[in-house]
Amino acid sequence: MAVASRTRLRAILASWQRQPNIRAVIAIATASQKGGVGKTTLCINLAYSLARRGWTTLLVDTDPQGGVGLSLARSTRSKLGFYDFLSGERDLNKLVLPTRLPELQILPCGQYNACARRGWPVQEVPARLADLLRGAELRGVDCVLMDTAAGLNGMSESVVKACDYVILPQQAEPLAVRSVPHMLETLARFRAEGAGVKVAGILLTMVTMDSRISQKVVSELRAMLPADLMFDQNVPRLPSFLEASAMGVPVALLKKNPPPEAILFDQLAAELEQRAGLVLERESNQSYASLLD
Ligand SMILES: Nc1ncnc2c1ncn2[C@@H]1O[C@H](COP(=O)(O)OP(=O)(O)O)[C@@H](O)[C@H]1O
Ligand SMILES: [Mg+2]
């Protein structure tokens, strides 16, 4: 990859120094230009890992197709959710679904078509997204993870702009080498337009272990991009993800003993904690629990 583009990317990154968060809740969006790169899969599995690691996590589905809900339980189709909040239902208690894990809550996409028919004031979307994050904070949420529809425009653009961080899942295919700089330039434009969103990292997904092309894309992207822009962890292409989605569970719940691909989301959550500066309060004055008394 041309040195010029590496220099350009470094310049973009240099302008993205960390700014202090004004909210206690940290909002993280996932976004990609293309569909089918594994955003929804990432959101479900990462939200589960974050919750297991002690973060009260609200997973919000902003994709009108409702992938989060469909992957977990078809019954969420009939529930109110994100779009109902945007079009006037302000009580999050009526919209947020609890899960078996006390730290994990879900705001499904809701009745997009009904809401779209009634319409919502587009110019008020940023203020309503800010209200949503404040509402989450009042509920004691530490981390809001927002799944988006493909593309960095429309509602997805507003959602990314409202967040503190964005994770960019990128399928390990040759097109990625060309599309990543384009995506970073779009995010640089968002920042120029006043958004504070920072890149938490680019995450390589659907990495095919036995494909030379897929492996070449991984090494080209890692050579091209500054190391701190990429998650160390890749997500391999594995049938268990399809299976988990068919069964409506995070991969960690597919078997009694979670398979290695479940643990990789714990690793990813740990990386995210460092990148987004998530520190559990109890850690600041932690005393170590001895294994033996
Ligand atoms: N790492 C993976 N390996 C195999 N299949 C995957 C993987 N990640 C996602 N999938 C499958 O690919 C499809 C698209 O994934 P999804 O997460 O819905 O993408 P997006 O939200 O970006 O459109 C789904 O059927 C999902 O189960
Ligand atoms: Mg999706």
Side-chain angles (χ1 to χ4, degrees):
M1 200 9 95
V3 173
S5 73
R6 194 158 45 217
T7 313
R8 195 177 69 219
L9 292 172
R10 282 193 193 285
I12 291 175
L13 273 186
S15 69
W16 289 358
Q17 297 305 325
R18 195 172 279 178
Q19 293 160 355
N21 280 307
I22 42 172
R23 268 180 277 101
V25 68
I26 292 195
I28 302 163
T30 57
S32 68
Q33 300 280 11
K34 261 182 42 161
V37 302
K39 278 189 304 299
T40 301
T41 305
L42 164 70
C43 281
I44 291 170
N45 288 286
L46 181 61
Y48 182 80
S49 284
L50 286 168
R52 286 296 303 266
R53 291 171 68 84
W55 302 107
T56 300
T57 302
L58 175 64
L59 173 56
V60 180
D61 192 356
T62 74
D63 182 351
Q65 293 191 27
V68 169
L70 284 183
S71 298
L72 294 175
R74 296 198 200 297
S75 60
T76 56
R77 260 278 176 246
S78 59
K79 304 266 197 242
L80 300 182
F82 174 72
Y83 283 96
D84 303 277
F85 183 87
L86 286 191
S87 53
E89 173 52 74
R90 316 313 293 276
D91 186 356
L92 274 183
N93 294 325
K94 288 192 189 150
L95 305 176
V96 170
L97 307 176
T99 70
R100 290 216 182 95
L101 207 59
E103 291 81 9
L104 180 58
Q105 311 167 6
I106 294 179
L107 179 61
C109 86
Q111 302 305 306
Y112 172 79
N113 283 321
C115 295
R117 270 196 295 276
R118 287 198 300 276
W120 55 79
V122 174
Q123 67 282 8
E124 284 181 24
V125 166
R128 295 209 172 165
L129 290 170
D131 286 347
L132 173 63
L133 297 179
R134 264 193 300 274
E137 187 173 3
L138 290 174
R139 290 175 62 84
V141 169
D142 300 308
C143 183
V144 178
L145 196 56
M146 300 184 98
D147 192 14
T148 60
L152 281 168
N153 46 26
M155 184 59 74
S156 299
E157 173 172 345
S158 301
V159 169
V160 169
K161 282 179 167 172
C163 284
D164 304 298
Y165 289 94
V166 60
I167 301 177
L168 303 169
Q170 184 64 58
Q171 203 165 329
E173 58 172 23
L175 190 63
V177 179
R178 274 168 283 150
S179 68
V180 165
H182 179 253
M183 208 161 50
L184 292 175
E185 278 171 3
T186 304
L187 288 163
R189 172 169 63 77
F190 290 180
R191 288 181 61 88
E193 289 167 5
V197 63
K198 290 151 276 193
V199 175
I202 293 169
L203 173 69
L204 294 174
T205 61
M206 313 268 191
V207 177
T208 312
M209 296 308 186
D210 55 3
S211 154
R212 272 197 331 134
I213 294 179
S214 182
Q215 295 298 329
K216 187 163 172 273
V217 169
V218 172
S219 47
E220 275 185 18
L221 276 173
R222 288 205 182 276
M224 171 180 126
L225 296 168
D228 57 1
L229 194 54
M230 303 196 72
F231 284 100
D232 292 339
Q233 190 65 59
N234 299 335
V235 181
R237 186 189 286 275
L238 292 170
S240 55
F241 287 101
L242 281 172
E243 208 184 318
S245 160
M247 303 309 289
V249 291
V251 276
L253 294 180
L254 210 47
K255 301 202 174 86
K256 191 157 174 268
N257 278 341
E261 54 273 26
I263 293 155
L264 78 83
F265 290 100
D266 293 344
Q267 160 83 23
L268 208 54
E271 279 191 62
L272 184 64
E273 284 166 14
Q274 291 195 339
R275 285 162 180 266
L278 282 160
V279 183
L280 281 175
E281 250 170 54
R282 64 173 179 264
E283 273 175 10
S284 44
N285 53 359
Q286 182 168 14
S287 60
Y288 293 93
S290 162
L291 197 53
L292 294 174
D293 284 329

